[in-house]
Amino acid sequence: HVWETRVRQSCLPKKDEGLIVLVTGAAGFVGTHVSLALKKRGDGVLGIDNFNSYYEVSLKRARQALLEKQEIFIIEGDINNKELLKTLFDLIQFTHLMHLAAQAGVRYAMQNPGSYVHSNIAGLITLLEVCKDANPQPAIVWASSSSVYGLNSKVPFSENDRTDQPASLYAATKKAGEEIAHTYNHIYGLSITGLRFFTVYGPWGRPDMAYFSFTRDILKGKPITIYQGSNKQDLARDFTYIDDVVKGCVASLDTAGMSTGSGGKKKGPAPLRIFNLGNTSPVTVPNLVSILEKHLKVKAKKNVIKMPRNGDVPFTHANVSLAHAQLGYNPTTNLEIGLKRFVKWYLSYHGLERPVKSRRL
Ligand code: NAD
Ligand code: UGA
């Protein structure tokens, strides 16, 4: 029927040797960009997303419309729906799973802890269960997070650094995800790659993140709150531009080994891979705000709180030499240029491309 035809069309690679990828969280920020990049180079792409209301559903629908223009179909469903997933894997021989669906955000974990367990732990296990039973088994690439480094005070962060001090429940579920992935790699021979993204930003981004909400509030003349670290130290983030992250995701899919269907040393797959995908150049929150003020041509009203937010880590800074060596990962967009592109998109998306004084906000 119509649904099945759309699924098949969406999954059809347009080039020989094209991948066939199921992208979870495809209506999300990173999922949208990764789906578009894969489709553009000729891979078959099918999305799945539950369109939850953690942030504006209208933005997720707008991203969906963008994907539909490129003939990428998003199934509306939850990654905990095992029957739906099994139906999809029976219908299509996915070569890869790009798993980006999750409950993101650090602070919301204090309001709604259950949604992190549902999506980041139970959802991941459901997907891995379906992948281990699939024939062929897909290679899996999924999003972990820089937050797993937690209260680690050694910078820059390298993949083997300690990750046993998460500062938030979000971080704890991402860390748990890495350990769950390890067991599926070990027992069932699944090829799995975890990517620790570092505060990703860009066009079509997430309204709950600081650079996005600051832009909205600065334009509206509303005060923004800047959290500073203890001891007058500014908090810093290794803000990473979406296009750089997308390149790292695509390279991870391309270099992922085959799932072998058997664990153990002799016949097993390549071991679990974990990579940092950061920018290697942390910027403080006040500096982020200055760059936004410059691009928006509006001064921010600032409310400074000399304490980190509960659950925040003080700083993040990626060492990406492993991703560079194995994926050819090489972030090239600095925050100044990346935010310029974000602001251009933001103004266009909200119909605000006119002189500052005549903008209706
Ligand atoms: P996002 O919230 O924009 O995208 C996630 C998408 O997954 C959303 O569209 C949501 O509707 C969907 N989703 C959530 N739970 C689901 C479920 N149970 N079933 C089906 N769909 C579900 O977030 P993003 O910024 O695109 O993040 C993508 C991934 O990268 C997430 O795993 C996130 O934790 C991780 N990550 C993001 C950042 C960042 O800075 N953006 C940094 C580190 C890690
Ligand atoms: C981001 C994402 O939201 C997480 O989903 C992701 O896992 C994480 O990156 C990651 O890299 O792993 P975070 O870096 O906390 O988390 O991003 P924001 O919420 O945008 O905060 C960035 C910085 O701005 C933090 O230092 C925060 O304290 C600060 N901030 C945030 C403010 O000063 N004021 C605010 O109103 C909000």
Side-chain angles (χ1 to χ4, degrees):
H1 52 68
V2 180
W3 184 87
E4 197 177 309
T5 310
R6 290 193 74 187
V7 167
R8 287 192 192 282
Q9 275 172 352
S10 195
C11 289
L12 206 61
K14 294 273 185 311
K15 63 171 184 189
D16 291 346
E17 309 294 313
L19 314 183
I20 306 174
V21 190
L22 178 63
V23 179
T24 72
F29 167 42
V30 182
T32 292
H33 285 276
V34 170
S35 300
L36 287 172
L38 292 172
K39 193 75 177 185
K40 194 169 173 193
R41 59 175 214 161
D43 296 319
V45 181
L46 180 71
I48 178 168
D49 201 295
N50 69 0
F51 291 86
N52 69 44
S53 57
Y54 167 59
Y55 61 79
E56 291 92 310
V57 178
S58 59
L59 179 58
K60 296 183 184 182
R61 291 292 174 201
R63 295 184 187 128
Q64 180 184 29
L66 193 69
L67 297 197
E68 278 183 353
K69 274 195 201 153
Q70 303 306 321
E71 294 174 357
I72 301 169
F73 183 38
I74 302 185
I75 306 270
E76 190 158 345
D78 197 289
I79 53 166
N80 283 287
N81 185 341
K82 197 169 179 184
E83 286 314 307
L84 171 63
L85 293 173
K86 276 164 66 179
T87 304
L88 293 176
F89 275 88
D90 282 346
L91 205 58
I92 304 291
Q93 300 207 322
F94 293 105
T95 58
H96 292 76
L97 171 71
M98 182 81 223
H99 174 38
L100 297 164
Q103 178 57 60
V106 175
R107 271 183 80 78
Y108 183 64
M110 284 175 272
Q111 287 169 47
N112 191 354
S115 67
Y116 291 77
V117 178
H118 176 81
S119 293
N120 304 2
I121 296 185
L124 175 66
I125 294 174
T126 308
L127 275 167
L128 293 172
E129 280 291 315
V130 173
C131 289
K132 83 158 168 53
D133 293 336
N135 185 16
Q137 290 177 327
I140 299 157
V141 177
W142 104 103
S144 179
S145 156
S146 73
S147 63
V148 300
Y149 292 108
L151 302 172
N152 179 10
S153 57
K154 183 174 149 282
V155 281
F157 301 153
S158 297
E159 287 82 352
N160 287 330
D161 287 353
R162 62 188 293 190
T163 54
D164 58 348
Q165 297 176 297
S168 65
L169 184 70
Y170 168 74
T173 61
K174 286 292 179 179
K175 169 69 180 156
E178 294 189 355
E179 294 181 349
I180 290 163
H182 184 270
T183 62
Y184 278 79
N185 168 263
H186 173 71
I187 299 175
Y188 301 113
L190 287 174
S191 157
I192 314 187
T193 305
L195 302 176
R196 293 177 179 164
F197 298 160
F198 283 67
T199 317
V200 191
Y201 72 98
W204 297 98
R206 265 176 38 210
D208 62 311
M209 290 181 67
Y211 72 95
F212 197 118
S213 63
F214 286 169
T215 299
R216 187 181 54 217
D217 291 345
I218 292 172
L219 284 170
K220 286 191 171 159
K222 279 174 62 177
I224 60 168
T225 304
I226 296 176
Y227 296 94
Q228 289 194 330
S230 47
N231 304 324
K232 293 189 184 150
Q233 182 197 23
D234 286 330
L235 300 186
R237 286 287 177 278
D238 199 7
F239 296 102
T240 308
Y241 190 63
I242 183 67
D243 290 3
D244 289 324
V245 168
V246 168
K247 283 188 196 141
C249 292
V250 173
S252 300
L253 291 167
D254 284 343
T255 56
M258 300 269 289
S259 293
T260 61
S262 65
K265 282 188 182 129
K266 277 189 185 152
K267 285 165 67 191
L272 179 78
R273 301 188 302 170
I274 299 280
F275 295 111
N276 284 342
L277 293 187
N279 189 52
T280 73
S281 174
V283 174
T284 65
V285 180
N287 280 343
L288 164 82
V289 174
S290 303
I291 300 173
L292 282 176
E293 289 177 318
K294 188 172 121 190
H295 292 321
L296 292 167
K297 303 190 182 72
V298 182
K299 278 270 164 216
K301 291 180 186 144
K302 296 169 204 154
N303 175 16
V304 177
I305 298 194
K306 298 207 158 126
M307 253 176 46
R309 291 186 310 179
N310 219 353
D312 272 354
V313 293
F315 42 73
T316 63
H317 183 179
N319 174 338
V320 298
S321 41
L322 190 66
H324 180 70
Q326 294 192 23
L327 306 175
Y329 176 72
N330 183 28
T332 55
T333 315
N334 66 33
L335 191 60
E336 175 90 29
I337 290 174
L339 283 179
K340 191 171 181 182
R341 293 184 193 150
F342 166 72
V343 165
K344 188 167 189 277
W345 167 81
Y346 184 96
L347 295 177
S348 150
Y349 181 72
H350 292 92
L352 297 171
E353 293 159 304
R354 53 188 89 132
V356 179
K357 281 191 180 145
S358 61
R359 277 181 197 147
R360 275 200 263 126
L361 303 165

